[in-house]
Amino acid sequence: QVQLVESGGGLVQPGESLRLSCTTSGSIFRITFMGWYRQAPGNERDLVALIGREGVTNYADSVKGRFTISRDNAKNTVYLQMNGLKPEDTAVYYCRAAQGSTWYWGQGTQVTVSS
């Protein structure tokens, strides 16, 4: 079992920045992909960014150029640096990690962008 704990969410104004962190614990060997997803009220949970163990990344078109995903394999932690936040970025952000064919979810952290 792998446990994921997100942190770093909050309330910010448009144009501001936040950095989310997701720390893993438990049986964390051979974790390959790690990523961030988000879900706004009434919407499906969508991919925001994904990163492989060697650093290959993939981003949703809506966040390209504004968000950066990174990971520290030694700390088993994945980050999401979010710059130029917009009201439409408001959502619960979830961390996800793959171990073999099994994917694990964190409990989510709220990000609200509002003036």
Side-chain angles (χ1 to χ4, degrees), residues 39-54:
Q39 188 170 20
N43 290 355
E44 295 184 350
R45 192 174 297 187
D46 294 323
L47 173 70
V48 175
L50 198 64
I51 185 167
R53 185 165 184 84
E54 302 305 320

Side-chain angles (χ1 to χ4, degrees), residues 8-20:
L11 171 64
V12 296
Q13 295 188 347
E16 293 185 340
S17 300
L18 278 175
R19 188 173 88 148
L20 304 183

Side-chain angles (χ1 to χ4, degrees), residues 31-100:
I31 288 178
T32 53
F33 289 97
M34 299 188 75
W36 291 93
Y37 292 69
R38 66 186 181 187
Q39 188 170 20
N43 290 355
E44 295 184 350
R45 192 174 297 187
D46 294 323
L47 173 70
V48 175
L50 198 64
I51 185 167
R53 185 165 184 84
E54 302 305 320
V56 176
T57 59
N58 185 38
Y59 293 93
D61 288 342
S62 59
V63 306
K64 284 181 180 177
R66 299 188 298 124
F67 291 10
T68 302
I69 189 171
S70 61
R71 65 190 286 174
D72 184 333
N73 291 330
K75 296 182 179 180
N76 299 303
T77 300
V78 64
Y79 305 96
L80 186 68
Q81 178 66 42
M82 305 186 292
N83 298 329
L85 282 161
K86 304 175 181 180
E88 51 263 43
D89 295 318
T90 295
V92 177
Y93 283 69
Y94 296 90
C95 178
R96 195 182 190 199
Q99 186 179 58

